[in-house]
């Protein structure tokens, strides 16, 4: 029973510490060094406590190591999920249409997307195309992609995570 409780404790605490590590990395990339430092402090403190306990146990079972590794793997998964849900962000979306299509631009704007349009030339110089630029909340990307593909299944879509946005049009909803 004591081994089972130790394994559950190690597994659970590793989930916490690795999830914190994933969030810390994302917050660092987003440029918030102070918050990342605080998260890092808690992360390493929790890690130290559980590693000390795992290494100082009299248990010789492989289950201790499996709990440690399983907690790490699960923490990585949960940390990624948490960061996607909790950390706000924007995507810069560039779409090259398969043809010049004013109705596509109108529909995107009617749906609340701010669209900047540039006339572009692709491989086939006779076929006029648009390059559409949009800055969106990352949580709206799936819907935008689905809409774009329903309007132009051959559209070429490029997505970049945006670090900072200044000015521009962002609908209230």
């Amino acid at each position: 029973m004591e081994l089972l409780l130790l394994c559950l404790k190690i597994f659970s605490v590793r989930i916490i510490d690795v999830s914190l590590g994933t969030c810390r990395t994302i917050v660092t990339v987003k440029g918030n060094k102070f918050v990342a430092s605080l998260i890092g402090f808690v992360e390493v403190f929790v890690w130290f406590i559980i590693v000390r306990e795992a290494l100082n146990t009299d248990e010789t079972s492989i289950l201790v190591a499996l709990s440690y590794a399983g907690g790490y793997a699960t923490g990585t998964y949960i940390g990624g999920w948490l960061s996607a849900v909790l950390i706000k962000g924007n995507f810069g979306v560039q779409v090259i249409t398969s043809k010049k299509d004013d109705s596509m631009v109108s529909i995107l704007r009617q749906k609340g997307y701010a669209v900047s349009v540039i006339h572009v030339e692709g491989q086939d110089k006779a076929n006029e195309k648009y390059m559409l630029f949009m800055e969106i909340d990352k949580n709206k990307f799936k819907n935008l992609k689905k809409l774009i593909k329903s309007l132009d299944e051959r559209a070429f879509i490029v997505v970049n995570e945006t670090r900072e946005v200044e000015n521009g049009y962002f609908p209230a909803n």
Side-chain angles (χ1 to χ4, degrees):
M1 185 64 164
E2 188 176 314
L3 175 62
L4 178 63
L5 289 176
L6 176 64
C7 289
L8 284 173
K9 183 177 183 181
I10 290 170
F11 180 80
S12 300
V13 173
R14 283 300 284 161
I15 290 173
I16 294 168
D17 115 67
V18 175
S19 297
L20 286 171
T22 303
C23 291
R24 175 189 44 79
T25 301
I26 292 168
V27 170
T28 301
V29 169
K30 295 254 183 217
N32 198 337
K33 296 174 197 144
F34 181 74
V35 172
S37 299
L38 293 175
I39 293 171
F41 177 84
V42 174
E43 171 197 357
V44 170
F45 180 78
V46 168
W47 175 85
F48 179 81
I49 300 261
I50 204 61
V51 167
R52 194 177 100 204
E53 187 161 342
L55 294 176
N56 287 335
T57 184
D58 291 334
E59 295 290 343
T60 58
S61 173
I62 190 73
L63 293 177
V64 172
L66 290 173
S67 300
Y68 191 86
Y72 183 89
T74 306
T76 300
Y77 180 82
I78 292 173
W81 178 81
L82 282 173
S83 67
V85 170
L86 299 176
I87 298 175
K88 294 184 184 238
N90 290 324
F91 284 162
V93 181
Q94 300 168 18
V95 178
I96 299 177
T97 61
S98 63
K99 62 185 181 300
K100 184 178 175 182
D101 186 355
D102 292 327
S103 67
M104 180 179 186
V105 175
S106 296
I107 291 169
L108 287 168
R109 287 178 175 158
Q110 287 169 3
K111 297 284 186 179
Y113 296 101
V115 182
S116 296
V117 181
I118 296 176
H119 297 270
V120 296
E121 184 178 281
Q123 287 286 107
D124 178 9
K125 295 180 182 185
N127 186 8
E128 289 187 65
K129 299 178 180 191
Y130 284 148
M131 179 180 284
L132 312 177
F133 288 96
M134 292 168 273
E135 190 67 34
I136 63 167
D137 180 293
K138 70 177 186 173
N139 295 321
K140 295 181 179 180
F141 177 67
K142 279 186 181 180
N143 291 334
L144 174 61
K145 181 179 173 184
K146 186 177 176 181
L147 177 59
I148 290 168
K149 288 298 185 178
S150 74
L151 298 170
D152 183 354
E153 64 184 28
R154 294 184 50 224
F156 177 65
I157 303 171
V158 177
V159 181
N160 295 295
E161 189 165 7
T162 305
R163 183 171 171 159
E164 186 175 327
V165 175
E166 244 181 77
N167 299 323
Y169 170 76
F170 294 92
N173 55 3

